[in-house]
Amino acid sequence: GLTCTEQNFITKAGFHQAAAEHGLIVVAPDTSPRGCNIEGEDESWDFGTGAGFYVDATEDPWKTNYRMYSYIKDELPKLINTNFPSDPERMSISGHSMGGHGALILALKNPGKYKSVSAFAPICNPIQCQWGKKALGGYLGSDVSKWEAYDATQLVKSYPDSHLDILIDQGKDDQFLSAGQLLPDNFIAACTERKIPVVFRLQQAGYDHSYFFIATFINDHIKHHAKYLNA
């Protein structure tokens, strides 16, 4: 999520027991490059450091370092598969908020690469929300058609088949849901139109955008992925 490092999930999500029970390796990447000495990288919380948005930037001065899409898709798996007893053929992907956006776009842009995908309160339609407009404009330039390549709601419209089971949990009292930053309804409508299976769970009042929400439902997500990874 925005402003996070890999430690937010590692220390707060409480995934360890379920992952151990199902025999899964959990890899938690960072949310952006760090310390690139780019002017302005630390100026705002929703762009630059901690806000890589899982795109490959095409604009100066970001395009050299801000390539989080390629990092997650290619570089990180190579690193893991070289150094750990992993199975390169069996990967799933998940994320929260900006990371949920990242998980959805990576799964939708690479059919068959991931066995399953899940997300907590993902940014589902970034070309339509303020966070997305700021980040995609900054990293990719002003041509909105280039933004669509990193928008889950747009990508699902041309997803080639329905072999992707998507699980999304969303808290009803999420402040960013009511602020129009997440827009899950747009994504659900696009999935329904394309007959892509998606389980969308709007969790009751009291659940917000926090890690208490994630910790409550993380076991369901681990189980969701294990079903496909261990099949």
Side-chain angles (χ1 to χ4, degrees):
L2 288 164
T3 75
C4 293
T5 71
E6 77 287 348
Q7 287 303 321
N8 291 74
F9 184 80
I10 290 169
T11 57
K12 294 179 180 177
F15 64 91
H16 311 76
Q17 187 177 349
E21 282 170 5
H22 290 288
L24 303 186
I25 292 172
V26 176
V27 180
D30 204 344
T31 53
S32 76
R34 301 271 161 184
C36 302
N37 298 316
I38 297 171
E39 193 180 337
E41 68 184 339
D42 297 322
E43 270 175 20
S44 55
W45 64 274
D46 54 359
F47 185 78
T49 302
F53 258 82
Y54 301 101
V55 304
D56 283 350
T58 54
E59 295 295 296
D60 288 324
W62 311 99
K63 64 184 183 185
T64 304
N65 306 97
Y66 277 68
R67 302 183 56 78
M68 290 299 290
Y69 174 76
S70 292
Y71 175 68
I72 302 294
K73 179 174 160 280
D74 303 315
E75 194 179 336
L76 185 58
K78 262 183 210 149
L79 200 64
I80 298 301
N81 294 325
T82 305
N83 292 285
F84 296 94
S86 55
D87 180 348
E89 299 304 308
R90 290 192 289 167
M91 282 193 300
S92 285
I93 192 160
S94 183
H96 169 226
S97 196
M98 177 184 71
H101 144 79
L104 291 173
I105 62 165
L106 275 141
L108 292 166
K109 283 168 80 69
N110 299 282
K113 186 175 179 71
Y114 304 98
K115 299 292 184 194
S116 53
V117 59
S118 78
F120 290 91
I123 301 170
C124 290
N125 196 183
I127 66 172
Q128 298 287 355
C129 76
Q130 287 309 309
W131 281 342
K133 287 173 184 175
K134 179 176 179 177
L136 299 178
Y139 296 133
L140 305 173
S142 57
D143 182 353
V144 178
S145 65
K146 290 181 180 164
W147 304 3
E148 291 178 357
Y150 294 104
D151 183 300
T153 300
Q154 293 298 320
L155 289 166
V156 87
K157 292 173 184 175
S158 56
Y159 189 73
D161 58 44
S162 59
H163 296 298
L164 182 68
D165 275 287
I166 305 167
L167 170 63
I168 296 175
D169 270 318
Q170 173 65 61
K172 208 171 178 182
D173 282 355
D174 187 323
Q175 65 275 36
F176 299 116
L177 177 67
S178 53
Q181 296 281 25
L182 308 177
L183 305 172
D185 292 353
N186 297 359
F187 181 68
I188 303 306
C191 287
T192 305
E193 201 175 305
R194 292 280 296 123
K195 298 186 169 56
I196 307 283
V198 56
V199 173
F200 178 76
R201 309 193 306 185
L202 186 62
Q203 303 294 358
Q204 65 196 17
Y207 287 111
D208 56 16
H209 204 71
S210 71
Y211 264 87
F212 299 113
F213 165 59
I214 293 174
T216 305
F217 299 106
I218 190 68
N219 286 7
D220 292 348
H221 287 243
I222 298 286
K223 200 188 289 182
H224 168 77
H225 294 296
K227 184 171 105 181
Y228 297 95
L229 290 167
N230 294 325

